[in-house]
Amino acid sequence: MQILKPIGNSVLYVGQTVGEMIALLCEMLYFFKEAPRNLTSIFRQMSIVGIETLPIAMLVALFVGMVLSVQTGSELALYGTQEAIGAIVGLSMVKELGPVMTSLLVAGRVGSSMAAEIGAMQVYEEIDALKTLEINPVRYLAMPRLIACLFAVPALVAFAMVVGIIGGGIVAEVNPKIDVPFNVYYENMTRAINYKDIVKGLFKAMVFGGIIAHVGCYVGFKASGGARGIGESTTRSVVLSFLLIMIANYLLTRFMI
Amino acid sequence: MFSDDKSNGGNFLGNFWAKVAHGFSPAIIEGETCQIYHEGSNGVSIEIEKLNKSFGDHHVLKDIDLSIKPGETFSIIGPSGTGKSLLLKHIVKLIEADSGRIIINGHDIEDPEVRNGSSDFRYSMVFQSSALFNSLTVGENVGLWLREKRICPEVRIRRIIQEKLRLVGLEGKEELRTSELSGGMKKRVAIARSLAMNPDLILYDEPTAELDPVTSDELARVIMSLKDKVKLTTIIVSHDLNFALYLSNRVAMMHDGEIIALGTPEEIKKSQNPIVRNFIYTTTKGIQGEGD
């Protein structure tokens, strides 16, 4: 019977975490009605999520596109089908790599910082102070972050898609093993991608953005135990975000095909 | 407690745009006066009846009974880990009790009208860590409640901030970042932030923690001067006995989750309870002039 105790405790812990996360999500969605009053805060968060992450997201997307092009292009060249490289890089960037890679980057950079910031506020009694000032912490801290991520992550992904495709095109043009002119690359790419693919990719990014903000805020609110607790909350937020993004990616891909 | 400003515009679109405009501005209410802002504070009475709280098997608060009069400065003293701060957090509804009642001005704090903030009293708490918001300046910290509630025009909010900072001896420090403040200054900003609500009840959790004796003394003078200027009920939780005895009308001593002594500072000093005597001796090495 002793062996059942830790299993039961783990089940209870997971059940409690899921329940609390759903409750937090419902509360954040409820406070969307207060969004017009919190535009300053929402735009500040958008700036942190979007503008401050843009350079590194562009750099990552550029190299992802280039690596994809050089790896796939050289294999395709063996069979003389390297002209399809535009379609392959384009579809990969729009449907998968753009949304997933950028979201993982945002989860690591912004989600962890949200968890640390809110976690520090929790540990140092600032959340309690908000409550005694009759300010709902979910409305004041979590809702603006969720809205910011819902809009800023798709915007980042849109840029990442474009930059990744351009990176792939440059490699296809200059790499002698591939040697596909940019206009051919572009033509193949536009023939393969339709606007529905782009919308689906951006929708994925929006869901991933929501996951990042939701997890970052939840883990932050649950932080305890001083500096060590804050450190642990950043790690937890990154791990949980990565996991949920991967699960959501599979489910979204499965149902959007 | 306060309804939001819904007077701008008579239709949905008008209200929406008014909210959007608010979103970009700390306060856009016109004029000089606040819409709903109780200018004065009135002390409140507090009755605590048979309050119990446990964490797992650990019974932290045991049948706490306490009565605090309106306008009184009441201190709860005792060693660390006896449940003093926990009791404070129950009064400001940060923690729910397992059993028992807390009645403020005749209202059980679990009543819906108190829970949703529509009661006729306000309370505020000064935390042990000051709990100032690092992303805001001193002035923004002090004015946070007013700006979030959107009940006052910006010009009035600025005046209230100046006034509250003056009360705690920090006049003209509005633009400083919280990282530029000393421990004592942070405590005083936290007090000013609480005072900006014009609370009827103010609670201090270990106000002298991490402060040197000189700064503690300064803080005691600030709280003492507030007693004269602002009529409110004050509860101080401290293990600094001299601080508590100096400021309070009455003092309760907690030990192991129970109130073991209650009385005026003089009565506490003369208590024959061995735990109280031991606490007095170990924290002050005897109170000056009392002999022991």
Side-chain angles (χ1 to χ4, degrees):
Chain A
M1 286 302 281
Q2 275 300 317
I3 199 166
L4 293 177
K5 197 176 175 183
I7 298 170
N9 283 340
S10 303
V11 170
L12 281 176
Y13 175 74
V14 171
Q16 186 186 344
T17 303
V18 171
E20 285 172 349
M21 287 188 78
I22 292 171
L24 175 66
L25 181 64
C26 292
E27 207 175 340
M28 287 197 282
L29 295 175
Y30 171 78
F31 281 118
F32 271 24
K33 66 178 185 155
E34 299 286 334
R37 278 181 40 159
N38 291 273
L39 288 175
T40 313
S41 177
I42 291 168
F43 280 105
R44 193 184 305 126
Q45 290 302 324
M46 275 187 181
S47 158
I48 293 167
V49 180
I51 297 167
E52 292 179 21
T53 315
L54 191 62
I56 185 72
M58 297 298 96
L59 202 63
V60 168
L62 182 73
F63 281 100
V64 166
M66 288 165 71
V67 168
L68 191 62
S69 187
V70 78
Q71 290 267 23
T72 320
S74 13
E75 289 299 316
L76 290 174
L78 295 175
Y79 306 99
T81 55
Q82 65 270 39
E83 285 184 2
I85 189 70
I88 292 171
V89 172
L91 283 171
S92 304
M93 286 307 299
V94 168
K95 286 181 150 186
E96 280 302 317
L97 291 176
V100 175
M101 290 298 293
T102 310
S103 299
L104 293 180
L105 179 72
V106 175
R109 189 187 177 279
V110 179
S112 59
S113 125
M114 278 182 195
E117 187 181 355
I118 296 177
M121 292 182 79
Q122 180 71 49
V123 168
Y124 298 115
E125 298 179 307
E126 290 174 33
I127 303 280
D128 283 345
L130 280 177
K131 289 177 187 168
T132 60
L133 290 168
E134 300 166 359
I135 297 168
N136 188 305
V138 176
R139 199 266 298 159
Y140 187 72
L141 298 170
M143 179 271 288
R145 283 167 171 79
L146 179 61
I147 292 179
C149 279
L150 287 176
F151 289 98
V153 174
L156 270 179
V157 167
F159 278 108
M161 287 172 179
V162 173
V163 172
I165 289 168
I166 292 171
I170 293 168
V171 169
E173 168 104 41
V174 300
N175 190 312
K177 281 187 185 169
I178 307 169
D179 195 25
V180 175
F182 196 83
N183 61 328
V184 176
Y185 173 92
Y186 181 78
E187 204 174 297
N188 267 295
M189 189 263 297
T190 48
R191 212 180 303 143
I193 298 173
N194 60 45
Y195 77 95
K196 279 185 185 167
D197 296 323
I198 299 170
V199 171
K200 284 175 185 174
L202 294 178
F203 178 71
K204 269 186 179 183
M206 189 177 249
V207 173
F208 299 159
I211 289 172
I212 293 163
H214 184 202
V215 170
C217 293
Y218 172 75
V219 172
F221 282 129
K222 295 294 287 181
S224 61
R228 189 174 177 176
I230 298 165
E232 282 170 0
S233 71
T234 59
T235 312
R236 277 187 69 200
S237 88
V238 173
V239 172
L240 196 54
S241 297
F242 276 29
L243 190 67
L244 292 180
I245 286 171
M246 289 303 172
I247 294 170
N249 186 39
Y250 170 75
L251 293 174
L252 289 170
T253 308
R254 171 73 184 78
F255 291 110
M256 287 197 307
I257 280 176
Chain B
M1 193 175 297
F2 295 104
S3 60
D4 296 321
D5 173 33
K6 287 174 184 163
S7 59
N8 295 335
N11 53 40
F12 172 77
L13 205 60
N15 277 336
F16 178 77
W17 284 117
K19 278 189 171 183
V20 170
H22 255 153
F24 285 112
S25 160
I28 59 162
I29 297 166
E30 298 294 330
E32 290 274 314
T33 55
C34 298
Q35 289 185 343
I36 311 163
Y37 184 57
H38 303 177
E39 291 295 337
S41 296
N42 297 299
V44 291
S45 63
I46 302 167
E47 299 288 335
I48 299 173
E49 297 173 359
K50 298 273 175 244
L51 197 77
N52 282 282
K53 181 71 184 178
S54 298
F55 293 101
D57 296 332
H58 189 204
H59 198 172
V60 190
L61 296 179
K62 300 169 185 168
D63 283 333
I64 300 286
D65 282 308
L66 213 53
S67 177
I68 298 168
K69 296 170 202 153
E72 190 173 27
T73 299
F74 190 92
S75 285
I76 303 168
I77 58 168
S80 299
T82 52
K84 307 184 299 292
S85 298
L86 191 68
L87 178 58
L88 222 55
K89 287 184 178 176
H90 277 83
I91 297 171
V92 291
K93 297 183 285 183
L94 288 175
I95 296 177
E96 272 186 49
D98 295 338
S99 65
R101 298 203 304 164
I102 298 175
I103 297 160
I104 301 180
N105 255 13
H107 300 282
D108 190 321
I109 62 164
E110 292 303 323
D111 283 350
E113 74 161 5
V114 180
R115 274 240 160 258
N116 66 27
S118 57
S119 56
D120 59 354
F121 61 86
R122 272 169 295 187
Y123 58 81
S124 168
M125 182 159 166
V126 177
F127 288 84
Q128 184 171 348
S129 59
S130 301
L132 298 180
F133 304 109
N134 293 333
S135 55
L136 307 178
T137 62
V138 166
E140 286 166 344
N141 264 285
V142 176
L144 182 64
W145 179 79
L146 291 161
R147 288 186 171 126
E148 280 296 316
K149 286 291 160 189
R150 295 166 197 247
I151 51 172
C152 291
E154 182 60 21
V155 61
R156 180 81 182 102
I157 291 175
R158 286 179 192 278
R159 217 175 302 142
I160 292 170
I161 292 169
Q162 285 169 0
E163 183 191 317
K164 302 304 176 190
L165 283 174
R166 189 168 53 245
L167 272 177
V168 296
L170 289 176
E171 202 171 1
K173 307 284 187 199
E174 288 91 332
E175 298 306 322
L176 286 183
R177 309 298 304 184
T178 55
S179 55
E180 297 173 71
L181 303 177
S182 67
M185 287 166 90
K186 280 183 183 169
K187 285 270 158 67
R188 285 190 278 163
V189 173
I191 295 171
R193 183 176 68 185
S194 293
L195 292 175
M197 294 173 75
N198 269 349
D200 303 301
L201 166 65
I202 189 164
L203 304 101
Y204 297 89
D205 186 11
E206 302 282 8
T208 56
E210 300 158 24
L211 297 183
D212 61 79
V214 177
T215 316
S216 293
D217 197 46
E218 262 177 37
L219 195 67
R221 275 203 296 273
V222 168
I223 297 174
M224 201 64 173
S225 73
L226 289 176
K227 267 180 79 172
D228 301 331
K229 293 173 193 164
V230 189
K231 188 190 169 196
L232 44 72
T233 304
T234 305
I235 303 179
I236 301 166
V237 154
S238 180
H239 55 248
D240 185 338
L241 185 68
N242 282 328
F243 184 84
L245 295 180
Y246 172 65
L247 288 170
S248 313
N249 301 113
R250 282 194 306 147
V251 178
M253 172 145 175
M254 278 186 80
H255 180 77
D256 197 20
E258 291 175 287
I259 305 257
I260 56 160
L262 176 66
T264 62
E266 288 305 312
E267 287 166 347
I268 291 290
K269 279 190 260 183
K270 289 174 186 160
S271 171
Q272 292 307 307
N273 185 317
I275 300 170
V276 179
R277 294 221 61 77
N278 186 45
F279 182 71
I280 291 173
Y281 180 75
T282 51
T283 53
T284 65
K285 300 294 180 214
I287 292 172
Q288 207 172 14
E290 294 300 310
D292 195 22

